[in-house]
């Protein structure tokens, strides 16, 4: 559009040719169009070559590489495996009791994370929104974002220090006359530790988008609600929450999409053989089976299974939300 | 304004208390770790250390400072962060600039190629085999190349480029600058804000990363400091070796962990107050435009 309004387009290309092209190109519009585009923008396309190579090699090739889930892989051999074995590896993990244990653990941890970590930022954003002193609000926000900027290794380290035998938590328990608990070694504590540290790390950062959404709500709506006699609570219920609903739904869809891929790195850092019964999730099992035990094809089959469920979850959540609330990612 | 009602004032008070608690809960672990790192072994073991160091000493810092492996790994982290950020910036800038040209034929496809990777990825095992068979193991490229473009950062940058005045670039083109010239001499100087933000995003994420190094580096002298810290943590807790006999040892370990946590987080904590708002605005831009 902008090129047609400028009287003198780039001198390299004469206007008659540009005008003639559509007439000539009527027979094969697509090909002629491409040839013109390439001639005019070849420098732009050349800038895209390296990035495209990156996507091809490091993103799409591994997707295709998943075929080793159905082929026998030999270390040092082709990355696509040596021969077809069909669903042998799928059958293997379906018969594997450890697989079902890690599957259950994944559902547990994923479900608990969704249940507790999704609503906390919303509540926190609503509370922050009610703070009238800007400096105070800014201070609370800055502090609550902080854990997000630290390495997950540091977060895991801090978590373990807090829960150590001589850590503050056990210190408080001691004051209350309770025996010290070895949190990190007890399987029944793992889920609580995981979800708790996840909230600690992500809650503040999660408020950003909600706070942004809150500022876009029309002040007039509150005015109208007040005139209609709505109290504060009713205003929140009938104006604020509907105002941030698109953001809520979008983030919910994204959370559901990553449901299966529960914080792999954090579990890997926090768990140990004693807590495997509750802590071992699909992705950590894939890591151990593949990288540590060299059963690449078997591990790839489980990884693919996990990814397919993830894709299924995100597309169905998207569909559902488009039908019910009219918000969707695509 | 309407005079605040009694119940609203009560709510404000409760709200203040809740938010104060949030701040305390967030900051307490940091304060505690910092206090421990300066405290004596005996006081830590007795669980006396809360907000302030007890039995102040710098012994543990000395122990960590004298560990040549720590310095080596710290240096590795700096090196990996610089190289990986540079690679990431070049690739992301190029692609974002291309995607920002609305007239470009095939632009939709180019965007789609990038965005699809946000929803479906190859998975750990194929990636591992790929990096291994490309011979990238034990080199900085194993960290830099597989993570060279973050699609989120790409979309933020693309949105910024789209908002630049198109007339300026057209004028430069008429004056005889090539596309490369326009990008280097016109667009990038105008984009200092977004370039600085992206450098921050990438460098913080590479500074914090540990898993690629953990996967692809075989020798401890190639590890970044995050993996050094990870090994300390695992060493202290792995396999439930917290028996009575090793108590003394694990206490020293716990203290060294605190010092290492402080030193690893230090650069981030130092720049945090200054860079935080860039992150926030970058995330909002990405969320609105992406």
């Amino acid at each position: 559009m902008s090129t047609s309004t400028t009287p003198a387009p780039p001198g390299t290309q004469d206007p008659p040719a540009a005008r003639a092209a559509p007439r000539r190109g009527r027979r094969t519009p697509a090909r002629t169009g491409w040839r013109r585009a390439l001639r005019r923008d070849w420098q732009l396309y050349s800038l895209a070559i390296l990035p495209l190579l990156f996507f091809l090699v490091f993103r799409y090739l591994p997707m295709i590489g998943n075929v080793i889930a159905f082929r026998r892989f030999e270390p040092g051999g082709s990355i696509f495996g040596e021969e077809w074995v069909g669903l042998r590896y799928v059958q293997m993990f379906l018969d594997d009791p450890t697989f079902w244990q890690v599957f259950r653990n994944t559902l547990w941890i994923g479900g608990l994370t969704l249940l507790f970590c999704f609503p906390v930022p919303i509540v926190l954003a609503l509370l922050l929104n009610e703070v009238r002193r800007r400096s105070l609000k800014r201070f609370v926000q800055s502090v609550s974002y902080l854990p997000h900027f630290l390495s997950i290794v540091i977060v895991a380290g801090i978590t373990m220090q807090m829960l150590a035998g001589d850590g503050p938590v056990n210190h408080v328990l001691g004051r209350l006359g309770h025996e010290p608990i070895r949190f990190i070694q007890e399987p029944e504590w793992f889920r609580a530790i995981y979800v708790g540290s996840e909230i600690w790390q992500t809650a503040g950062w999660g408020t950003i988008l909600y706070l942004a959404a809150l500022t876009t709500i029309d002040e007039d709506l509150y005015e109208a609600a007040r005139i209609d006699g709505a109290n504060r609570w009713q205003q929140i219920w009938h104006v604020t929450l509907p105002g941030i609903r698109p953001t809520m739904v979008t983030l919910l869809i994204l959370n559901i999409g990553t449901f299966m891929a529960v914080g792999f790195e954090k579990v890997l850092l926090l768990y140990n053989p004693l807590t495997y019964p509750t802590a071992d999730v699909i992705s950590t099992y894939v890591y151990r089976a593949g990288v540590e035990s060299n059963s690449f094809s078997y591990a790839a089959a489980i990884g693919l299974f996990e990814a397919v469920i993830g894709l299924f979850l995100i597309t169905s959540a998207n569909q559902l939300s488009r039908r019910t609330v009219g918000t969707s990612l695509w | 304004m309407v005079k605040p009602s009694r119940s609203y004032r009560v709510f404000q008070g409760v709200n203040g208390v809740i938010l104060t608690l949030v701040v305390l809960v967030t900051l307490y672990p940091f304060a505690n770790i910092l206090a421990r790192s300066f405290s004596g072994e005996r006081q830590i073991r007795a669980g006396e250390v809360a907000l302030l160091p007890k039995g102040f000493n710098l012994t543990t810092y000395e122990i960590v400072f004298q560990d040549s492996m720590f310095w080596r790994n710290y240096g590795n982290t700096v090196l990996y962060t610089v190289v990986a950020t540079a690679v990431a910036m070049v690739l992301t800038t190029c692609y974002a600039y291309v995607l920002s040209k609305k007239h470009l034929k095939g632009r939709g496809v180019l965007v789609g190629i990038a965005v699809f990777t946000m929803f479906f990825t190859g998975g750990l095992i194929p990636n591992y085999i790929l990096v291994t068979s490309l011979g990238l193991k034990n080199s900085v490229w194993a960290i830099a190349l597989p993570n060279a473009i973050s699609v989120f950062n790409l979309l933020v940058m693309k949105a910024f480029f789209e908002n630049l005045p198109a007339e300026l670039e057209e004028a430069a083109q008429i004056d005889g600058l090539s596309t490369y010239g326009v990008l280097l001499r016109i667009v990038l100087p105008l984009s200092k804000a977004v370039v600085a933000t992206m450098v921050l995003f990438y460098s913080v994420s590479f500074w914090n990363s540990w898993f690629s190094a953990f996967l692809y580096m075989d020798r401890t002298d190639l590890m970044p400091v995050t993996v050094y810290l990870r090994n300390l943590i695992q060493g202290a807790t792995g396999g439930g070796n917290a028996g009575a006999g090793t108590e003394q040892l694990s206490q020293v370990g716990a203290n060294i962990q605190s010092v290492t946590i402080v030193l690893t987080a230090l650069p981030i904590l130092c720049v945090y107050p200054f860079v935080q708002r860039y992150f926030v605005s970058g995330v909002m831009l990405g969320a609105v435009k992406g």
Side-chain angles (χ1 to χ4, degrees):
Chain A
M1 241 192 33
S2 61
T3 45
S4 64
T5 51
T6 31
T12 48
Q13 153 200 338
D14 43 343
R19 230 178 292 133
R23 222 182 300 140
R24 257 192 290 129
R26 197 162 291 159
R27 269 172 297 144
T28 52
R31 206 193 304 159
T32 321
W34 270 110
R35 200 180 297 156
R36 261 192 61 210
L38 271 175
R39 199 174 56 205
R40 188 186 52 193
D41 292 323
W42 67 268
Q43 288 186 319
L44 272 178
Y45 287 117
S46 72
L47 284 175
I49 291 174
L50 281 180
L52 278 176
L53 210 60
F54 158 78
F55 281 115
L56 207 70
V57 174
F58 290 106
R59 291 293 178 269
Y60 288 92
L61 206 57
M63 286 183 205
I64 305 167
N66 270 314
V67 298
I68 68 156
F70 310 105
R71 293 168 70 88
R72 198 167 47 80
F73 174 82
E74 276 171 13
S78 159
I79 64 167
F80 298 120
E82 302 302 322
E83 56 174 313
W84 288 100
V85 294
L87 295 176
R88 197 181 133 209
Y89 294 111
V90 177
Q91 191 61 49
M92 255 170 85
F93 75 68
L94 291 178
D95 293 340
D96 176 358
T98 315
F99 169 78
W100 289 107
Q101 185 194 321
V102 300
F103 186 73
R104 268 196 307 277
N105 285 343
T106 308
L107 294 185
W108 260 107
I109 295 181
L112 289 173
T113 308
L114 201 62
L115 189 66
F116 289 101
C117 294
F118 177 71
V120 171
I122 301 175
V123 175
L124 197 57
L126 290 176
L127 293 178
L128 273 169
N129 197 45
E130 296 294 329
V131 176
R132 289 286 159 260
R133 286 211 353 240
R134 281 186 67 83
S135 58
L136 188 71
K137 185 176 167 185
R138 185 114 16 107
F139 173 72
V140 178
Q141 280 179 265
S142 299
V143 168
S144 68
Y145 298 161
L146 181 58
H148 173 84
F149 289 93
L150 295 176
S151 173
I152 195 133
V153 183
I154 295 180
V155 173
I158 291 179
T159 306
M160 287 187 170
Q161 297 274 291
M162 289 303 107
L163 300 173
D166 54 22
V169 175
N170 268 319
H171 187 58
V172 172
L173 285 179
R175 282 275 175 88
L176 298 174
H178 198 290
E179 285 289 297
I181 301 174
R182 285 158 58 185
F183 290 99
I184 299 298
Q185 273 95 21
E186 311 268 9
E188 56 266 38
W189 279 102
F190 186 83
R191 288 165 187 159
I193 293 170
Y194 178 87
V195 173
S197 76
E198 194 71 8
I199 291 176
W200 184 76
Q201 192 188 357
T202 60
W205 189 248
T207 61
I208 290 185
L209 295 177
Y210 292 113
L211 286 168
L214 284 170
T215 58
T216 62
I217 297 174
D218 197 346
E219 233 4 85
D220 294 347
L221 288 175
Y222 289 106
E223 192 68 33
R226 271 198 293 274
I227 291 169
D228 288 348
N231 64 28
R232 282 234 149 226
W233 176 244
Q234 287 165 327
Q235 286 171 38
I236 288 178
W237 190 253
H238 293 289
V239 181
T240 312
L241 282 178
I244 58 172
R245 192 165 63 190
T247 311
M248 279 163 62
V249 172
T250 307
L251 289 178
L252 188 63
I253 298 171
L254 285 173
N255 279 344
I256 291 172
T258 54
F259 182 83
M260 294 295 284
V262 286
F264 167 58
E265 292 191 13
K266 189 180 267 177
V267 176
L268 203 60
L269 289 165
L270 284 176
Y271 82 167
N272 60 60
L274 292 176
T275 47
Y276 280 178
T278 54
D280 202 8
V281 291
I282 295 182
S283 42
T284 49
Y285 186 51
V286 167
Y287 165 76
R288 284 206 315 280
V291 179
E292 284 184 355
S293 313
N294 286 319
S295 318
F296 288 105
S297 287
Y298 179 62
I302 304 177
L304 187 61
F305 173 78
E306 184 190 11
V308 168
I309 292 186
L311 196 64
F312 169 76
L313 283 176
I314 198 167
T315 41
S316 20
N318 199 42
Q319 284 284 334
L320 194 70
S321 89
R322 182 159 46 190
R323 293 228 187 96
T324 52
V325 290
T327 311
S328 67
L329 289 180
W330 63 83
Chain B
M1 276 300 279
V2 192
K3 188 171 156 279
S5 71
R6 204 183 117 87
S7 63
Y8 183 58
R9 283 205 308 275
V10 172
F11 166 77
Q12 285 288 40
V14 174
N15 192 9
V17 172
I18 294 174
L19 291 180
T20 311
L21 276 176
V22 169
V23 169
L24 287 180
V25 167
T26 313
L27 286 185
Y28 183 82
F30 292 107
N32 184 257
I33 295 283
L34 195 64
R36 276 168 173 241
S37 73
F38 288 110
S39 296
E41 304 290 342
R42 198 179 48 78
Q43 286 83 352
I44 294 180
R45 210 178 321 150
E48 288 173 6
V49 182
L51 277 172
L52 293 170
K54 293 263 172 69
F56 184 88
N57 72 75
L58 295 168
T59 327
T60 326
Y61 277 92
E62 276 166 31
I63 294 173
V64 174
F65 280 149
Q66 277 159 13
D67 183 356
S68 63
M69 197 50 86
F70 172 80
W71 287 115
R72 186 142 196 169
N73 291 352
Y74 215 84
N76 286 342
T77 295
V78 175
L79 176 75
Y80 298 160
T81 304
V82 170
V83 173
T85 306
V87 172
M89 281 310 292
V90 171
L91 291 189
T92 309
T93 309
C94 286
Y95 208 55
Y97 184 64
V98 174
L99 295 187
S100 72
K101 292 284 158 263
K102 292 215 167 86
H103 73 270
L104 193 75
K105 204 167 164 59
R107 175 178 175 263
V109 178
L110 294 179
V111 175
I113 286 174
V115 171
F116 180 70
T117 63
M118 288 176 107
F119 299 106
F120 193 76
T121 48
L124 176 70
I125 299 303
N127 269 305
Y128 180 81
I129 297 173
L130 176 72
V131 171
T132 312
S133 42
L134 285 176
L136 300 178
K137 263 196 147 186
N138 292 322
S139 83
V140 58
W141 306 117
I143 295 170
L145 294 182
N147 302 307
I149 296 181
S150 136
V151 177
F152 179 81
N153 291 357
L154 180 76
L155 294 177
V156 172
M157 220 171 176
K158 161 179 165 284
F160 187 91
F161 286 151
E162 278 169 357
N163 287 334
L164 289 177
E167 294 78 16
L168 219 56
E169 290 177 53
E170 279 165 26
Q173 220 142 26
I174 292 168
D175 288 348
L177 272 184
S178 66
T179 302
Y180 310 133
V182 172
L183 176 59
L184 284 175
R185 311 246 297 261
I186 310 290
V187 173
L188 286 181
L190 285 174
S191 310
K192 285 195 188 100
V194 78
V195 169
T197 312
M198 289 299 115
V199 168
L200 276 175
F201 273 42
Y202 276 124
S203 48
V204 168
S205 84
F206 285 121
W207 183 278
N208 284 338
S209 80
W210 70 286
F211 190 61
S212 333
F214 177 69
L215 267 186
Y216 301 125
M217 304 291 181
D218 292 332
R219 304 205 311 267
T220 37
D221 61 317
L222 292 173
M223 298 294 184
V225 72
T226 39
V227 179
Y228 178 95
L229 176 59
R230 180 260 167 202
N231 292 343
L232 273 185
I233 297 170
Q234 294 309 68
T237 55
N241 61 354
T246 58
E247 200 164 336
Q248 176 71 32
L249 203 68
S250 75
Q251 291 308 332
V252 178
N255 205 355
I256 290 181
Q257 277 183 46
S258 305
V259 172
T260 314
I261 288 174
V262 170
L263 291 174
T264 310
L266 198 62
I268 305 271
L269 295 180
C270 288
V271 295
Y272 175 72
F274 307 103
V275 303
Q276 186 225 129
R277 64 195 176 94
Y278 295 104
F279 276 93
V280 174
S281 53
V283 165
M284 304 247 240
L285 189 64
V288 174
K289 298 281 182 177

